[in-house]
Amino acid sequence: GVRGRWAKASDASQAWILVIIIGICVAMIAWFTNVVQEWLSDLKQGYCTSKWRYNRQFCCWGKAEKQTWNIIYIHFGLQFVGLIEYETCSDWRLWPEVFNVESESGVYYTAMAMYTFVDPTYTNRLGSIQNFTKLKEEEEEEEERHINGGGEEGKKADQTKTETKTAYYSAGSGIPEVKVILGGFVIKGFLGFKTLFVKCIGLILSTSSGLNCGKEGPFVHFACSVANIACRIFPKFNKNESKKREILSAAAASGVAVAFGAPVGGVLFSLEEVSYYFPIKTMVRSYCCAIVAAMVLKITNPFGTGKIVLFEVQYDKEYHLFELIPFLICGISAGFFGAAVTYYNIKFQHFRKRSFVGKYPVTEVMCIMILTALVSFWNPFTRLSLNDFALNLFSECSSTNDNRKLCAKTAAEIPQILSLLFAALIIKMGLTVVTFGCRVPGGVFLPGLVVGAVTGRMIGLIMQYLTLSYPEAWPFDSCAEDMISHGKCVIPGVYAIVGAAAGLTGVTRTTVSLVVIIFELTYSLTYAGPITIAVMAAKWTSDAMFPEGIYDLLIDLQQYPYLDSHKSYAHTLTIMELTEYLPTIDLDQTTTMARLTQKMNLLAGMGYGEDGGLPILSQGNILEGYIATSELSHAIEQVAHETQSYQNSLYPQNIDDTPIYFKAGQVYDRSFDATIGFSQPIQGQNDEEHVSSLSRDFSNYVDHAPLTIHHNASMEMLMDMFVKLGARYVCVTQSSGRFLGIVHKRRLLAYLKELEEE
Amino acid sequence: GVRGRWAKASDASQAWILVIIIGICVAMIAWFTNVVQEWLSDLKQGYCTSKWRYNRQFCCWGKAEKQTWNIIYIHFGLQFVGLIEYETCSDWRLWPEVFNVESESGVYYTAMAMYTFVDPTYTNRLGSIQNFTKLKEEEEEEEERHINGGGEEGKKADQTKTETKTAYYSAGSGIPEVKVILGGFVIKGFLGFKTLFVKCIGLILSTSSGLNCGKEGPFVHFACSVANIACRIFPKFNKNESKKREILSAAAASGVAVAFGAPVGGVLFSLEEVSYYFPIKTMVRSYCCAIVAAMVLKITNPFGTGKIVLFEVQYDKEYHLFELIPFLICGISAGFFGAAVTYYNIKFQHFRKRSFVGKYPVTEVMCIMILTALVSFWNPFTRLSLNDFALNLFSECSSTNDNRKLCAKTAAEIPQILSLLFAALIIKMGLTVVTFGCRVPGGVFLPGLVVGAVTGRMIGLIMQYLTLSYPEAWPFDSCAEDMISHGKCVIPGVYAIVGAAAGLTGVTRTTVSLVVIIFELTYSLTYAGPITIAVMAAKWTSDAMFPEGIYDLLIDLQQYPYLDSHKSYAHTLTIMELTEYLPTIDLDQTTTMARLTQKMNLLAGMGYGEDGGLPILSQGNILEGYIATSELSHAIEQVAHETQSYQNSLYPQNIDDTPIYFKAGQVYDRSFDATIGFSQPIQGQNDEEHVSSLSRDFSNYVDHAPLTIHHNASMEMLMDMFVKLGARYVCVTQSSGRFLGIVHKRRLLAYLKELEEE
């Protein structure tokens, strides 16, 4: 009927409303982050006299005067003399002006001082904030421990956990954690409001301080946090984990959309890299979410340029056929550098984890900060912010824009630029290796992109050198026409774009989504061929070095239980060899509270304290059900809690002797239950009897139809159950239903890891 | 070691080699189809005197003279006078010239005559070819029946099947069938070489005859056929159904890539519409396959224009903010028309199936052909080929190009164009309704696109009328600047593009892939916003009318067992209510051949003749295994065959009494088996005894670990097993392993259909 249709429509529209809300919120967060970050970045060079809270762009809004400043770029050790074109106005005052420094070298050292002074200030604050988060997390764990606390052994296990896993939720990009969460693992608080808030502030400080990290990854984390919080609006999504994950997948796309102005690329990135299970309806919602976020951000215009991303460029020139060879070289070398950065970064993170470095995160960040400031300032390119550098690498040279000295007018200028660029490449690679993974928010996307772009630009410059030096030689003679019409043959900026795509492929190993992101970033499909060739070359090059992207390596490093759904294995073990016979509950025997706790501790000792469970067997070891430890501890807690308040008033009975039933219809005394929660127990004469018959029914917590597999089934079927059905355990039975044991996800993961290492 | 690594690398590279080969082959087929189709299309207007096999483009290659011909477009009943600019040359002769007709009306009627004469010639040939395919299919079925033939009842079931399902493999777009095949159903011969060949010829004839159908869908079918054939190169893919399906999914992308010059769009279309299970590695391969196909096709240059698609256009102008409203209207109306076409098309197909129309497919095609020729010729727009019409709808008006009279110079011209366009819309919609689904190869993509584009262009013209009539009124005053700089405010061609996307959404219900296809087709991301808004509006509008796209409706119509993985249901039945207790094999009793055949017939009578099976139970109804009817009939056949050749020589025993065992280790006499296939049986004295102990071991055919589900499990789990694990049946058991019955995919589908209809 009409009514049913309406109900159905309103039910269906909930998801749409949700993704639109998420899109808008993500855009607002991106806007805030971008605006504040720009202001803080500019504050390193000067401040706005009319309105202190404006950045340069907005301070000079409508009254910009293009001036040539020779304040910052003077007299290097490298004897590089440069001028900088700087859009500014009388309201915007540079620090050397403020302090009335006039001599050339004085000006330079003031700039240098402010640069190095302001930076560590940010870092300091960053450090405190990080510390704050960390402490907060520990406090939470403390609380949890109090609640959990049952038995000495359990406490000990908890203790170990706290020691080994101090999670810095707001550090890094957050993409690996989001992947793991979408894969079905619960990381409590990671997508909460507190983490979102702290990470947002931290990200602003870390990026504006000039640390070599991007905000693309964290944007994905923010988007998922927003989605997680927004899901609370509709109970349908809040209660159903799988529906919630679909929304999180959709939100991840909006994160990329605001980071790169690439809605379609965002959807593909969510699909290719982030999401675990991505049904088609999620795709449409993702797209809706992404496009809303991108459009809202475009309207709010955070940079005052009408662009979403600072390094957006636009190209319309065609490439020459012979350029496909250098594009291929671009792909191979940028892919190689990207993979190399990944490799050494992971090595360094392992080192950090194992050594003393990891124990002083704040000091480490300070050191990296100072290192960054010192190393970067001496190279004219690395001193630029990452965004600015990327923009100039991508840009086309023209008579009015020399891309901050990246352009060469004659062939003779090229070697010098090349040597500076090579230095910049080394510096950026080194900084990326040490920076990504330290305890500040910040992603590896932009640094990876810049490494690739520098490689590409260098190859572009070499090509330019060749075409300028040998204009008559084959195959450069095909350029003649272009040389006449617009004075150039190859465009180094295009090589930078191609290289950027390839470099990112080397880091993340995603392909289609990167191609699309680059399309959307450059507003052009002209270079579809070159970009694809480079990306595929980079993919194959880097896969030949080692097969995993940085996010998967990080998941490995953090030892999250993540089962990669994209791989295929040649199995060496059978199901029975993977099966473990862990503690079970026998329905024939009476299970008391004490026994149950004992079994739980046994499980915890075997490492299944959190994600394990107890199979429930009836006579002849027939599998009747399964109760997860999480459910069980919840149930035990409740009993303990109730009994405590109860005990205080009346009953002196020890709860350890309470018998527990797991099957509805087993001996069970309702009277006890009836009294609790309604009123004070009736004070009666037969208290003694009452107490002896006290029992608890846990059958509500039992999964009466656990997932089973026949012991003769194929390993592929077992894998499918874990990967496609998202199981955390599978019970192994005989045809007769006899329980033979259990295969836990963790056991499977350990086995798969061995398999890979072989 | 190095060796293992090399082996691994060469194993991994197989898939890449395969998709590259497929990409190249698909491009070649597309090239062939395009070239021949162009030639045949042009043959309706004239022929090349220098080289008869050249089409106009190539005949006049390098010697084109732009001429204004008034031969075809003269004196309509609608009093429309038009001239046509026609690139031609002295080598290309039009039919009126050939026949020396000179008077104006004479010229016109000659053109008309040739048009209507040549067309049905094609159709006739088409008809014969279709008939040929159909007969072939029937022959094959005939053969199959002979092989299968066992028992009267089986024969009867087969007979009914043949009657109800005369499959025209080469008819229609083929996308629904490809979807069903990727969903796990086997349609024998559908992706074979014969179907590919016949459909390719048929498609050339149907599209060049001017029938209202496109070649996009068939291209997807071709690509999958090529993939299916190419898989035979590597046994790894030929043997493994699931790996083969991954390659088919990848190939589907290349089909769209060559049809629209949209590699990324192709990947997304394969993902969103065609594929059932699309792991990430398939995505990369799809992209590789699609880009290879697109690049090879671009190099072969089938149209002599350097474009892959005839209606590619390029836009660089920005839109105005107020235009978002008409774009939204575009989306709603084009979505509505698209959905309406779908609705009536399916209605008509139902009518065709039920009524006498379906019995005379060739006559029907002839009638549609003549109807198309008669109806289309009187409207200047519908007379154009679909490609040409789409190109002109999409194009921007300029002083040199009036888009075949689609452009208006003054506001006064607009109403006339509008009325003609409206007539064209009605004609095209009507023709699409009757054409798609008739027994010729041809897709609904291009007709749907044209319906949307006409709608869009009409709205664009209305907007143009408004801006020209009320240039001062709000909000059109924002146009003032544009009016001065390039003399126009709104561009109707852009509305056509937006409408096309929306129209296609109404037909297929895909969103993201359509947006990307249109991006790639127009080489522009400028209109990302408008296109997205229109597509979402179209999606919601059409979903409100009815929720399924045309391909799903066709799958429904053909009653293929396809379980849509994208929907969610509110279940009304439990697992036990879906469970059927079908015939089983009892290990306690001796199963003879006769009994087995009887059980098979029983199953066939219940409709599970093809995809059913017999559960194997031991004492106490414990499920021990499962044997599929397909396996079983194969085994029975073999026994019958062997016994026959054997009987002729020696044994008079009736095979019906042969006992059959399903469990290894059951009573089993090896001597019989040993004699067969090695040598003539040993003529011995104890023949009598020997025969009595004849038995057959079928245990190799038995699946010893069939998929089971607990009778108390949730319907969601059951659905997951079918959708995600791709099960065709699930056995329902108790905890003790006692068999309670079986849930077949077909039973589930019937239930889901009921659920939907409620």
Side-chain angles (χ1 to χ4, degrees), chain A residues 13-205:
Chain A
S13 66
Q14 282 188 3
W16 294 107
I17 294 167
L18 198 55
V19 292
I20 289 170
I21 291 171
I22 292 167
I24 294 169
C25 293
V26 170
M28 295 320 293
I29 290 175
W31 171 83
F32 174 77
T33 314
N34 284 334
V35 165
V36 180
Q37 185 218 324
E38 280 298 292
W39 175 69
L40 283 178
S41 291
D42 286 348
L43 206 60
K44 285 191 291 182
Q45 303 175 323
Y47 76 105
C48 190
T49 49
S50 52
K51 293 262 195 209
W52 63 268
R53 65 181 188 279
Y54 279 9
N55 71 355
R56 199 184 71 223
Q57 190 87 34
F58 283 100
C59 184
C60 296
W61 188 273
K63 41 191 168 177
E65 305 148 16
K66 220 170 205 172
Q67 293 188 352
T68 306
W69 285 88
N70 58 352
I71 288 176
I72 305 182
Y73 291 92
I74 295 176
H75 297 311
F76 282 94
L78 291 162
Q79 296 207 294
F80 180 86
V81 181
L83 299 168
I84 169 176
E85 248 177 51
Y86 196 75
E87 272 203 3
T88 184
C89 56
S90 53
D91 285 0
W92 181 259
R93 295 191 75 192
L94 294 164
W95 292 121
E97 289 181 298
V98 176
F99 295 116
N100 273 320
V101 188
E102 268 165 27
S103 82
E104 274 198 352
S105 56
V107 162
Y108 171 64
Y109 285 111
T110 318
M112 170 90 196
M114 281 312 284
Y115 189 96
T116 19
F117 166 73
V118 178
D119 265 15
T121 319
Y122 294 165
T123 324
N124 229 330
R125 279 185 232 155
L126 199 60
S128 349
I129 282 184
Q130 286 307 315
N131 245 1
F132 170 77
T133 349
K134 185 194 148 195
L135 283 171
K136 278 288 161 196
E137 300 313 331
E138 274 181 354
E139 262 170 43
E140 263 185 14
E141 285 199 12
E142 201 80 32
E143 276 168 37
E144 265 177 55
R145 213 181 310 153
H146 280 304
I147 296 165
N148 282 335
E152 262 308 299
E153 224 171 298
K155 210 157 201 165
K156 207 180 149 198
D158 269 333
Q159 206 85 42
T160 350
K161 200 185 82 191
T162 320
E163 269 172 38
T164 52
K165 287 193 198 170
T166 312
Y168 294 81
Y169 286 179
S170 54
S173 79
I175 290 182
E177 285 81 7
V178 169
K179 267 187 90 162
V180 171
I181 289 173
L182 290 176
F185 186 66
V186 179
I187 306 180
K188 214 179 148 187
F190 186 77
L191 296 179
F193 181 76
K194 204 157 57 184
T195 310
L196 173 64
F197 180 75
V198 171
K199 185 158 188 175
C200 189
I201 304 297
L203 181 67
I204 290 167
L205 293 178

Side-chain angles (χ1 to χ4, degrees), chain B residues 526-602:
Chain B
T526 319
Y527 301 112
I531 292 174
T532 306
I533 288 174
V535 162
M536 295 315 285
K539 169 93 178 158
W540 288 329
T541 308
S542 50
D543 274 358
M545 291 164 71
F546 54 98
E548 278 173 316
I550 195 160
Y551 300 125
D552 289 326
L553 290 171
L554 277 180
I555 288 171
D556 230 44
L557 180 76
Q558 302 284 348
Q559 295 176 325
Y560 290 123
Y562 183 76
L563 181 58
D564 196 335
S565 57
H566 311 152
K567 284 189 209 141
S568 58
Y569 300 90
H571 293 287
T572 55
L573 293 184
T574 64
I575 288 183
M576 278 315 287
E577 286 166 312
L578 278 177
T579 305
E580 294 173 295
Y581 199 89
L582 300 174
T584 59
I585 292 171
D586 223 322
L587 286 181
D588 298 340
Q589 295 160 16
T590 315
T591 309
T592 60
M593 202 63 135
R595 238 191 218 173
L596 205 59
T597 316
Q598 191 190 338
K599 275 178 183 171
M600 294 262 302
N601 291 340
L602 207 62

Side-chain angles (χ1 to χ4, degrees), chain B residues 683-737:
Chain B
Q683 300 199 357
Q685 58 280 35
N686 54 351
D687 256 354
E688 218 57 40
E689 271 171 67
H690 197 142
V691 170
S692 69
S693 69
L694 270 181
S695 71
R696 283 306 186 126
D697 179 11
F698 279 11
S699 65
N700 282 338
Y701 296 101
V702 173
D703 176 5
H704 289 286
L707 209 57
T708 58
I709 195 167
H710 193 273
H711 65 106
N712 274 340
S714 66
M715 276 302 288
E716 281 70 31
M717 181 53 85
L718 185 73
M719 287 291 291
D720 273 357
M721 285 191 164
F722 280 102
V723 171
K724 294 185 186 166
L725 300 186
R728 292 185 195 181
Y729 66 90
V730 172
C731 297
V732 182
T733 57
Q734 280 182 337
S735 298
S736 59

